[in-house]
Amino acid sequence: MDSETVWKADAVALADRVSALLTVVRSAEAEIGSLLVEIESRGVMELFGYRSVARLFEHLADIPKPAAEAVVKRARALTPACNLDGSPIPAVAPVTGVAAADGRLSTPMIDTIVGVVTQLSPEHRDEAEQHLLTFAEDAGHKQVAALGARIVAHLDPDGAEPDEAEPATPSRELSLRRKRTGFWELNGRFDDETGARASALLDSLAQRRTTDEGPDLRSPQERYGDAFSDAIDLAFNSPDLPMQAGERAHVMIAVSLADLKSGTGDTGTPPEPAVGQHALGSAGTMPKTGGWSTLGDLGAVPKASGGRSALGGTGTMPKAGAGRAALGDLGTISAAEARIHACDCMLIPAVLGTKSEPLDIGRQRRLVSTPLRRALYLRDRGCAFPGCHRPPRHCQGHHIRHWADGGPTELGNLVLMCAHHHRLLHRSGWQVRIAADGLPEFLPPAFLDKRRRPRRNNLHQPLPFAA
């Protein structure tokens, strides 16, 4: 046997092995789907404490939520089930489910067949499903999709009846996200009335500003960007702005006291607050150098000994060597800009420890006070549950040791959590504790990790200064 013949024989063997493994993998995926449907039929809340089987599978498989939901949706379509009261739930494509259990169908092929069958009336589904499966034995999922489209067009040539009813509310969409460069990207789509009103507002704020220093050389895009910022300032200053978490909407700023005072010629005892400025503390004055302060209506300001600070949200980065300040949940600006904001905000002191963790502030009571909530914001930077992206404004303080069991309302007994993970912690096997370094960590239930190794959320950006 020559070398070419051996090579071809090896190639066939390799391809056969891949095909055999694909059959095993696809069969296993089908079995996983049937198990998830069984869990759902028995009650995932009663078995595991999760509100949905997709959430459970998300943690079991360590996959994104959309991927887990797709697996569960596919399993429901292939597997007959029953409700908690025992009433049956027929599968949309049961014959396809049998073929999937044998490992004969790829995931795209399954989704193609289920998608076609779902569009048909129940009396036509069985026959159409059998046609598609027969064709799938010798064709790819794209060809099966084309056949499915012809079947749907033949059985329902008129298509779905158009909805001629007027929409109940105007169509408005808006997304605002922060990019890694530090800039924010805004995209939206509005109905004609909202667009016209927004255009009129921005036009009035984007007019050229000719001063004694010369003409306004800003581009139209720059003028409209400045106009949008001015519109946000106007909204923040409105007395009718809704409350958020028991206080007016604000942006939290964290900056070291040393940087806050730098450039002012003050290196000793801080002066009394100027007009329009309020200092909140045990003595109504700024804390001593080495601590942290909080800029209230704009945000919170920690005191640090490192001479650096954090503020964020403007999309600009401070110059190398300059102090920094954290603004909001993500961004960073210079300490010089923080001093500008400090001229017109409330100053609230919050003392941090050697690892930049806020120490206890607030009174002992069941409800988390505003100062204590600010300390939680500074320490946890958002929902502390592993893998959660929720920012602080979407979270609430959770008592690690319940208040009813004698747990105090203090920083060492609190952790910041979003509503979903807060509920999950109360009803599942997850546990939370404060580690030796003062930061929260979570112990997964035994069915996720038999060793119950501690996990932390490393998605939130820490304060950009070290004590």
Side-chain angles (χ1 to χ4, degrees), residues 349-411:
V351 179
L352 270 67
T354 58
K355 296 183 180 296
S356 292
E357 75 278 10
L359 304 179
D360 294 344
I361 53 180
R363 298 175 296 175
Q364 273 206 344
R365 55 177 181 175
R366 183 178 64 84
L367 298 179
V368 179
S369 65
T370 297
L372 192 52
R373 184 167 57 249
R374 292 183 187 278
L376 280 172
Y377 286 7
L378 289 172
R379 186 194 70 187
D380 296 346
R381 307 295 290 162
C383 178
F385 193 87
C388 185
H389 292 79
R390 289 283 187 176
R393 61 181 177 274
H394 294 166
C395 301
Q396 53 191 274
H398 164 74
H399 284 77
I400 298 175
R401 183 186 179 195
H402 198 272
W403 171 263
D405 298 330
T409 304
E410 62 186 21
L411 198 61

Side-chain angles (χ1 to χ4, degrees), residues 173-239:
E173 298 176 1
L174 185 69
S175 65
L176 179 64
R177 68 185 185 94
R178 185 179 185 273
K179 306 182 74 173
R180 293 183 178 180
T181 57
F183 288 91
W184 292 73
E185 191 174 79
L186 178 69
N187 290 293
R189 186 179 65 176
F190 305 98
D191 59 281
D192 200 19
E193 179 186 354
T194 302
R197 289 190 291 128
S199 179
L201 173 64
L202 295 177
D203 281 343
S204 64
L205 296 174
Q207 298 181 47
R208 293 194 179 276
R209 306 167 187 166
T210 302
T211 65
D212 295 339
E213 297 178 356
D216 188 346
L217 301 179
R218 293 176 299 163
S219 68
Q221 291 79 11
E222 290 172 332
R223 288 190 288 111
Y224 272 86
D226 291 339
F228 182 75
S229 178
D230 293 341
I232 292 176
D233 288 339
L234 292 173
F236 261 111
N237 293 329
S238 171

Side-chain angles (χ1 to χ4, degrees), residues 32-75:
I32 289 173
S34 64
L35 290 173
L36 293 176
V37 171
E38 178 67 19
I39 290 173
E40 192 170 50
S41 298
R42 297 189 184 188
V44 64
M45 179 70 73
E46 290 75 12
L47 290 174
F48 298 101
Y50 281 71
R51 66 180 181 184
S52 72
V53 71
R55 285 287 192 181
L56 171 65
F57 188 57
E58 177 187 348
H59 283 157
L60 285 174
D62 190 23
I63 60 177
K65 179 184 176 183
E69 291 175 337
V71 170
V72 174
K73 181 180 179 181
R74 186 179 303 115

